[in-house]
Amino acid sequence: MALYSEKVMDHFRNPRNVGVLENANGIGEVGNAKCGDIMKMYLKIENDIIEDVKFETFGCGSAIASSSMATELIKGKPLEEAKKLTNKAVAEALDGLPDYKMHCSVLAQEAIEAAIDDYNSRK
Amino acid sequence: MALYSEKVMDHFRNPRNVGVLENANGIGEVGNAKCGDIMKMYLKIENDIIEDVKFETFGCGSAIASSSMATELIKGKPLEEAKKLTNKAVAEALDGLPDYKMHCSVLAQEAIEAAIDDYNSRK
Amino acid sequence: MIYADNAATTKMSEAAVNTMVSLIGDTYGNPSSLYAFGQKAKEALEKAREEVAEAIGANPREILFTSGGSEADNQALISAAKLGEKKGKKHIISTAFEHHAILHTLKKLEEEGFEVTLLPVHENGIVRPEEVEAAIKEDTALVTVMYANNEIGTIQPIREIGAICRKHGVLFHTDAVQAVGHIKVNVEEDNIDLLSASGHKFHGPKGTGFLYAKKGIKLTNLIEGGAQERGKRAGTENVPGIAAMATALKESVENLDAYAAKLTPIRDKIIAGLKEIPHSAINGDEESRVPSNINFCFEGIEGESLLLLLDDKGIAASSGSACTSGSLDPSHVLLAIGRVHDVAHGSLRLSLGEDITDEDADYIIKSVKDVVEYLRGFSPVWRDLVAGKGNFIL
Amino acid sequence: MIYADNAATTKMSEAAVNTMVSLIGDTYGNPSSLYAFGQKAKEALEKAREEVAEAIGANPREILFTSGGSEADNQALISAAKLGEKKGKKHIISTAFEHHAILHTLKKLEEEGFEVTLLPVHENGIVRPEEVEAAIKEDTALVTVMYANNEIGTIQPIREIGAICRKHGVLFHTDAVQAVGHIKVNVEEDNIDLLSASGHKFHGPKGTGFLYAKKGIKLTNLIEGGAQERGKRAGTENVPGIAAMATALKESVENLDAYAAKLTPIRDKIIAGLKEIPHSAINGDEESRVPSNINFCFEGIEGESLLLLLDDKGIAASSGSACTSGSLDPSHVLLAIGRVHDVAHGSLRLSLGEDITDEDADYIIKSVKDVVEYLRGFSPVWRDLVAGKGNFIL
Ligand SMILES: Cc1ncc(COP(=O)(O)O)c(C=O)c1O
Ligand SMILES: Cc1ncc(COP(=O)(O)O)c(C=O)c1O
């Protein structure tokens, strides 16, 4: 009955893979400040593997936690697998999100998709 | 702020002149059971003086207290004075009545009036 | 003092007071606040909702907290009326002896074009299910029948009425203010769509209550504003009060059997004792009656004076006398069961609490007898009856 | 914990708790009951009414107790609308940044055919009396302007607005929920016809409030039923709660000067401290502001995450961020003073309590600075701004 699960609070308080990835070869940004959520994903993809990933987020607790969890879920994974990451998987890995915060997990999925699209477009 | 003044409660708890006056020469009854108040006044008038008075009342606390006080106010008084007894005087002598109970003092006045009328009609 | 007016209000239970005081001290945050301290209040609120729901066999999402029984009654009726109106249904069935929170709301709805049928409650103070069924029309939007009457304590055939309403697809509301916490109430088994209750009637705090609305029934706000209570009742939630109400309800419901076992014989003893008073009569069915309620009419006396003299003897009770309300008419409930004005004025309600003892019962019987006799002693009405001028009604 | 969310709710004062607990124990009777025990409750109720009336310069007969500020707001507006309607007046003037208890009720009235003008509150969050006057029309039934805003704490020129309303014979209501008990409010001097207040905002209990209605103004019931509150608000009165509210109000009003003397410098110190944060801005006028309120926007960050991290540091605060409400739009108050969405999301409200210390202020300043810097550290918005992609708004 707390606002967020322990997992969400952990990822919010100690976000993994936060910051800028200088040598990223796929960058995606979604959301807008007007709506109160922006996520930016930096991917370093090599041999179709997500070698490294970082994120920056302007947003609420669950937006930060969702980005953090999403990076964890794809880091070191094959590109094909990362492509298939769903917002539901992110939310589940966080032990759930309040209904009205599900859009944060959607943003995380979309940020990764955008970054992969960017990577593909650079090839 | 209690429901009734001390005076009302005193006259309610220890009604003066309660009962039937066997040798009454003026009897008045007003009100009706449907409305929840009936007062009956018994007067013994001699030489235009209220020599004795008794009452019976079916009614609420303030009805009983009003009858009691009314009898006190006229007992031993000249008939002319008794005739002039107003409900306001009864209520004032009781240190006031709640607004919605003023009709009880009116009944007391009317009961005395009726008893005097009865006395006059017997002459 | 023997407090025998528990239908008017009850004393808060110790457990309820403890819940309240502890939350006031430790959990005073606003449940809408995000920080942990606010969320603690939210948890207390939702725990209370679960407890209340469980006590009446509902789902927590079906419980809306209000400021009392009156507010719940108003909101239930307004909501059902709005829903009916949308479908062109503007007929409401109720009974002649509902609480004013129902009757006055119905009157307001009548002014807005609704048609209201008030069913008779007969001499025993019980609505007949077949009469409910017969009154249902094509455009009936709602049936609202109280679970137990507040003055005469009669329990209504709610389950049967509920079943009839289900059969005809009509919404069914019950004002269960005098039932919840006193007799078993289960919204599922009793086929109830909407139910009102009030915290202070079952040892919870004053200023608390709840409305049960079966899943799918859209409520209309009485109070607009913040998004509290799923947007259906604005205002910062009285968390300590609500949680205390839940504590009291849980306690009461767990204790229902013991409550009935303790009170029923004492109630019946007092009834038997008061029946010995000549020209008296019990009001309302003797069997289908909450364990706490005793209601009598005594011919030839008036209720307020009876009450005040009982008060002097340390007994707190109530009356349907007109004089207790400032109106000219005695209780509409007593009139509805066929008591004529003359005797309806002379009524007495005793509503017992769990702390009543057998000695209290003896004392009550004796005191009522004494006071009735005393008042009859100078009642011109009584004198005439005894003298054979006019007939006894009772 | 430093509780800096007193605009959301306050802790009950010790005196208020004592009043409540003592009445719950000794005076739990129903004030409508005739016996002495019930009349004792009635006395407590009427004493509370006197205390509340005195605290705002009213007559006891002008005070109606409600379940809170929202109910009082709803009833005030509905009542004034009904009165206006009778005279063919169906225009209401209010402001863009009222509480939702007002705005949503106005919306309901609009649906019923009323015309509503919402005045601007300008950058400083203050309504201009001359704009109120200019908005008054032949058919204006009511002007309703809050006394102090709940988010940005700005105090409105109530007395001037009241005088204008008197001049034009228009009813004037003020939602004084954030003012009563915090700054001086006097209905007589301030030319107020209707005023709403809420107990839990000045250290009284939750679930209590009151509506002041100047003598002669006929109220419309929100809750129908019993004859409580002169027939204008049904439901068994929450005497312990009401009396506790009166105790708290009396205390607060007696303490107003000390309260302002204590809080104002601490408030201003925090404001000065937070201004040091680059690209931040205070929301609302700095002078005409309740002593407890501090409200800032910080560019490049979002409010909810700010709040949660302050919570981790033991500071309970609030935000107008959309994420705190589950809606998509940030606070309508911040939008009303001209903050664009982008920065309105990044707002923080601190509302101080009397127990705040100078050290607390230092700690709050440092904590907010740290958290804002930390969040900006990984905010893509901030990165872009710093990199010169886009312009700073603040
Ligand atoms: C200005 C204002 N008006 C009305 C209210 C509503 O008060 P309550 O939540 O007590 O109903 C509040 C508080 O939430 C408020 O700040
Ligand atoms: C049957 C019934 N309905 C409704 C109410 C109203 O409850 P409250 O006074 O708590 O609003 C009462 C009690 O007065 C009642 O007995």
Side-chain angles (χ1 to χ4, degrees):
Chain A
M1 272 294 313
L3 188 61
Y4 293 131
S5 70
E6 287 292 322
K7 271 265 178 63
V8 172
M9 288 309 291
D10 177 37
H11 276 264
F12 166 63
R13 287 179 178 131
N14 312 294
R16 328 305 199 239
N17 309 308
V18 70
V20 180
L21 196 60
E22 294 300 348
N23 59 348
N25 54 7
I27 298 178
E29 183 173 312
V30 294
N32 65 67
K34 194 158 178 273
C35 295
D37 286 303
I38 297 188
M39 279 184 204
K40 193 163 182 179
M41 283 283 169
Y42 301 87
L43 303 180
K44 174 72 188 151
I45 300 172
E46 243 164 297
N47 302 326
D48 285 347
I49 300 284
I50 313 282
E51 285 293 339
D52 204 357
V53 49
K54 282 199 187 278
F55 79 92
E56 289 189 312
T57 290
F58 161 92
C60 62
S62 67
I64 292 170
S66 296
S67 339
S68 167
M69 178 54 85
T71 61
E72 286 268 275
L73 289 174
I74 62 167
K75 192 170 177 178
K77 296 281 158 64
L79 186 55
E80 280 313 301
E81 218 173 289
K83 269 186 189 164
K84 288 185 202 140
L85 181 77
T86 63
N87 79 299
K88 267 183 106 173
V90 174
E92 270 166 27
L94 288 167
D95 291 344
L97 286 173
D99 280 356
Y100 68 101
K101 294 287 191 177
M102 282 305 286
H103 72 273
C104 294
S105 62
V106 174
L107 273 185
Q109 177 194 333
E110 289 174 355
I112 290 172
E113 286 168 358
I116 293 175
D117 284 351
D118 179 49
Y119 166 75
N120 286 331
S121 73
R122 294 194 198 185
K123 279 200 293 198
Chain B
M1 272 289 313
L3 187 61
Y4 292 130
S5 71
E6 287 293 323
K7 271 264 178 63
V8 172
M9 287 309 292
D10 178 37
H11 275 264
F12 165 64
R13 287 181 179 128
N14 311 294
R16 328 302 199 242
N17 309 309
V18 70
V20 180
L21 197 59
E22 294 301 347
N23 60 347
N25 54 7
I27 299 178
E29 183 174 311
V30 295
N32 65 67
K34 195 161 179 268
C35 293
D37 286 302
I38 296 186
M39 278 185 207
K40 193 163 183 179
M41 284 283 169
Y42 301 86
L43 303 181
K44 173 73 188 147
I45 300 171
E46 247 166 293
N47 302 325
D48 284 350
I49 300 283
I50 313 280
E51 285 294 338
D52 203 358
V53 49
K54 284 199 187 276
F55 79 92
E56 290 189 309
T57 290
F58 161 92
C60 61
S62 68
I64 292 170
S66 295
S67 339
S68 167
M69 178 55 85
T71 61
E72 286 267 276
L73 290 174
I74 60 166
K75 194 170 177 177
K77 296 281 160 63
L79 187 54
E80 279 313 301
E81 217 173 289
K83 270 186 188 163
K84 288 187 201 136
L85 181 78
T86 63
N87 79 298
K88 265 182 109 175
V90 174
E92 270 166 27
L94 287 167
D95 292 345
L97 285 173
D99 282 355
Y100 69 101
K101 295 286 192 177
M102 282 305 285
H103 72 273
C104 294
S105 62
V106 174
L107 273 185
Q109 177 193 332
E110 290 174 354
I112 290 171
E113 287 168 358
I116 294 174
D117 285 352
D118 179 48
Y119 166 76
N120 286 332
S121 72
R122 294 196 198 184
K123 279 200 288 198
Chain C
M1 177 184 64
I2 301 176
Y3 183 70
D5 201 16
N6 287 277
T9 194
T10 60
K11 181 169 186 174
M12 272 182 79
S13 76
E14 225 179 278
V17 174
N18 288 342
T19 296
M20 186 149 108
V21 171
S22 117
L23 288 172
I24 285 173
D26 301 337
T27 317
Y28 60 85
N30 190 318
S32 301
S33 303
L34 290 188
Y35 39 80
F37 184 65
Q39 292 297 308
K40 234 180 100 186
K42 173 115 185 153
E43 273 169 50
L45 180 65
E46 296 313 321
K47 179 167 161 262
R49 203 182 304 279
E50 281 163 28
E51 286 172 350
V52 166
E54 197 186 327
I56 60 162
N59 188 296
R61 293 170 66 101
E62 298 171 322
I63 303 296
L64 176 111
F65 292 120
T66 68
S67 70
S70 299
E71 186 187 335
D73 277 343
N74 276 252
Q75 188 164 10
L77 266 51
I78 300 290
S79 298
K82 276 266 151 61
L83 289 172
E85 200 165 24
K86 273 194 195 148
K87 299 186 195 159
K89 296 182 171 187
K90 298 193 73 171
H91 176 234
I92 300 175
I93 298 168
S94 188
T95 80
F97 76 162
E98 297 294 311
H99 191 268
H100 285 129
I102 298 291
L103 291 178
H104 291 177
T105 305
L106 290 176
K107 205 163 175 184
K108 187 157 90 175
L109 288 170
E110 270 185 329
E111 283 161 18
E112 291 174 15
F114 281 81
E115 181 198 350
V116 174
T117 302
L118 295 186
L119 296 176
V121 295
H122 308 283
E123 211 183 319
N124 63 353
I126 298 182
V127 181
R128 300 199 183 137
E130 63 272 23
E131 296 187 342
V132 174
E133 182 150 31
I136 292 178
K137 303 193 298 179
E138 275 289 294
D139 68 336
T140 302
L142 172 73
V143 170
T144 172
V145 174
M146 69 201 315
Y147 210 118
N149 182 271
N150 46 311
E151 292 192 28
I152 59 174
T154 48
I155 300 170
Q156 307 304 307
I158 292 303
R159 190 169 304 185
E160 290 77 0
I161 298 173
I164 287 166
C165 291
R166 287 274 152 91
K167 190 172 114 193
H168 292 273
V170 173
L171 278 182
F172 177 44
H173 167 256
T174 183
D175 173 346
V177 167
Q178 293 288 341
V180 165
H182 296 275
I183 55 174
K184 199 190 163 202
V185 172
N186 184 298
V187 293
E188 195 69 45
E189 295 168 9
D190 293 343
N191 307 307
I192 297 167
D193 295 320
L194 294 152
L195 173 147
S196 318
S198 180
H200 71 99
K201 305 285 189 183
F202 50 74
H203 305 288
K206 294 177 175 53
T208 65
F210 64 88
L211 172 58
Y212 155 82
K214 196 177 161 66
K215 195 175 168 231
I217 297 177
K218 194 166 167 267
L219 294 175
T220 297
N221 284 54
L222 273 192
I223 304 177
E224 306 276 355
Q228 292 92 349
E229 300 291 310
R230 307 170 149 264
K232 295 305 173 192
R233 203 280 179 186
T236 305
E237 303 91 334
N238 174 10
V239 177
I242 289 168
M245 166 170 71
T247 297
L249 182 56
K250 200 174 164 213
E251 247 186 329
S252 295
V253 167
E254 281 167 4
N255 197 42
L256 280 184
D257 291 340
Y259 174 80
K262 158 113 201 239
L263 288 195
T264 313
I266 299 184
R267 176 196 74 187
D268 291 343
K269 175 179 176 162
I270 297 176
I271 290 176
L274 299 186
K275 275 187 179 167
E276 289 169 7
I277 298 178
H279 304 290
S280 70
I282 186 169
N283 293 315
D285 195 84
E286 268 186 71
E287 296 301 322
S288 186
R289 183 178 200 98
V290 293
S292 54
N293 182 286
I294 296 146
N295 193 312
F296 268 78
C297 278
F298 304 106
E299 192 147 14
I301 63 161
E302 191 279 334
E304 192 208 86
S305 45
L306 171 58
L307 276 198
L308 292 174
L309 291 174
L310 288 176
D311 189 19
D312 280 351
K313 291 180 183 290
I315 298 169
S318 149
S319 171
S321 145
C323 275
T324 63
S325 64
S327 92
L328 280 179
D329 285 321
S331 146
H332 69 287
V333 173
L334 298 178
L335 298 178
I337 61 166
R339 297 285 176 226
V340 295
H341 278 66
D342 311 53
V343 300
H345 287 295
S347 77
L348 173 70
R349 177 186 73 184
L350 297 158
S351 47
L352 312 177
E354 290 87 327
D355 53 349
I356 192 95
T357 64
D358 223 51
E359 293 72 55
D360 292 342
D362 290 329
Y363 181 72
I364 287 174
I365 294 168
K366 179 167 176 3
S367 302
V368 175
K369 283 181 175 172
D370 288 351
V371 172
V372 170
E373 196 178 319
Y374 166 75
L375 287 172
R376 282 176 173 172
F378 61 91
S379 161
V381 176
W382 184 253
R383 168 169 310 280
D384 286 352
L385 287 168
V386 170
K389 301 183 204 159
N391 298 317
F392 284 106
I393 297 166
L394 303 181
Chain D
M1 175 185 65
I2 300 175
Y3 183 70
D5 202 15
N6 286 278
T9 194
T10 60
K11 181 171 186 172
M12 272 182 78
S13 78
E14 225 178 278
V17 174
N18 288 343
T19 296
M20 186 149 107
V21 171
S22 117
L23 289 173
I24 284 173
D26 301 337
T27 317
Y28 59 85
N30 189 320
S32 302
S33 302
L34 291 188
Y35 40 79
F37 184 64
Q39 292 296 309
K40 235 180 99 185
K42 173 114 185 155
E43 273 169 48
L45 181 66
E46 297 313 321
K47 179 167 162 260
R49 204 182 304 278
E50 282 163 27
E51 287 173 351
V52 165
E54 197 187 326
I56 61 163
N59 188 296
R61 293 169 67 99
E62 298 172 322
I63 303 296
L64 176 111
F65 293 121
T66 68
S67 70
S70 299
E71 186 187 335
D73 278 343
N74 276 251
Q75 189 164 9
L77 267 51
I78 300 290
S79 298
K82 276 266 151 61
L83 289 171
E85 200 165 24
K86 275 194 194 148
K87 300 187 194 157
K89 295 183 170 187
K90 298 194 71 168
H91 175 234
I92 300 174
I93 298 168
S94 188
T95 79
F97 76 161
E98 296 294 312
H99 190 268
H100 285 129
I102 298 291
L103 291 178
H104 291 177
T105 306
L106 290 176
K107 206 164 174 182
K108 186 157 90 175
L109 289 170
E110 270 185 329
E111 284 162 17
E112 292 174 15
F114 281 81
E115 180 198 352
V116 174
T117 302
L118 295 185
L119 296 175
V121 293
H122 308 283
E123 212 182 319
N124 63 354
I126 297 181
V127 181
R128 299 195 184 141
E130 64 271 23
E131 295 188 342
V132 174
E133 183 150 30
I136 291 177
K137 304 193 297 179
E138 277 288 296
D139 69 336
T140 302
L142 173 74
V143 170
T144 172
V145 175
M146 69 200 315
Y147 211 118
N149 182 270
N150 46 310
E151 291 191 29
I152 60 174
T154 49
I155 300 169
Q156 307 303 308
I158 292 303
R159 189 169 304 185
E160 292 78 359
I161 298 172
I164 287 166
C165 291
R166 288 274 152 91
K167 190 172 113 192
H168 293 273
V170 173
L171 278 182
F172 178 44
H173 167 256
T174 183
D175 173 346
V177 168
Q178 294 288 340
V180 165
H182 296 274
I183 56 175
K184 197 188 162 203
V185 172
N186 184 297
V187 291
E188 195 69 45
E189 296 168 8
D190 293 344
N191 306 308
I192 296 167
D193 296 319
L194 293 152
L195 172 147
S196 318
S198 180
H200 71 101
K201 304 286 189 184
F202 49 73
H203 305 288
K206 294 175 175 55
T208 65
F210 64 88
L211 172 58
Y212 155 82
K214 196 178 162 69
K215 193 173 169 234
I217 297 177
K218 191 165 169 269
L219 293 176
T220 297
N221 284 55
L222 227 46
I223 303 178
E224 306 278 355
Q228 292 93 349
E229 299 292 312
R230 307 170 149 264
K232 295 305 174 194
R233 202 280 181 187
T236 305
E237 303 91 333
N238 174 9
V239 176
I242 290 167
M245 166 170 73
T247 298
L249 182 56
K250 200 173 166 212
E251 245 187 328
S252 294
V253 167
E254 281 168 4
N255 198 41
L256 280 183
D257 291 341
Y259 173 81
K262 158 113 202 240
L263 287 194
T264 312
I266 298 184
R267 175 196 72 186
D268 292 342
K269 175 181 176 163
I270 297 175
I271 290 176
L274 299 187
K275 275 188 178 167
E276 290 168 7
I277 299 177
H279 305 290
S280 70
I282 186 171
N283 293 315
D285 195 84
E286 268 184 72
E287 296 302 321
S288 185
R289 184 178 200 97
V290 291
S292 54
N293 181 286
I294 296 146
N295 193 312
F296 267 79
C297 279
F298 304 106
E299 192 147 14
I301 63 160
E302 190 279 335
E304 191 208 86
S305 45
L306 170 58
L307 277 198
L308 292 175
L309 291 173
L310 288 176
D311 189 20
D312 280 352
K313 291 179 184 291
I315 299 168
S318 149
S319 170
S321 146
C323 277
T324 64
S325 63
S327 92
L328 281 177
D329 284 321
S331 145
H332 68 288
V333 173
L334 298 177
L335 298 178
I337 61 166
R339 295 288 177 224
V340 294
H341 278 67
D342 312 53
V343 300
H345 287 294
S347 78
L348 173 71
R349 177 185 73 183
L350 297 158
S351 45
L352 311 177
E354 289 88 329
D355 55 347
I356 193 95
T357 65
D358 223 52
E359 293 72 54
D360 291 342
D362 291 329
Y363 181 73
I364 288 174
I365 295 167
K366 179 167 175 1
S367 301
V368 175
K369 282 182 175 172
D370 287 352
V371 172
V372 170
E373 196 178 319
Y374 165 75
L375 287 172
R376 282 176 173 172
F378 59 91
S379 161
V381 176
W382 184 253
R383 169 170 309 282
D384 285 352
L385 287 168
V386 170
K389 300 183 203 159
N391 296 318
F392 285 105
I393 297 166
L394 304 181

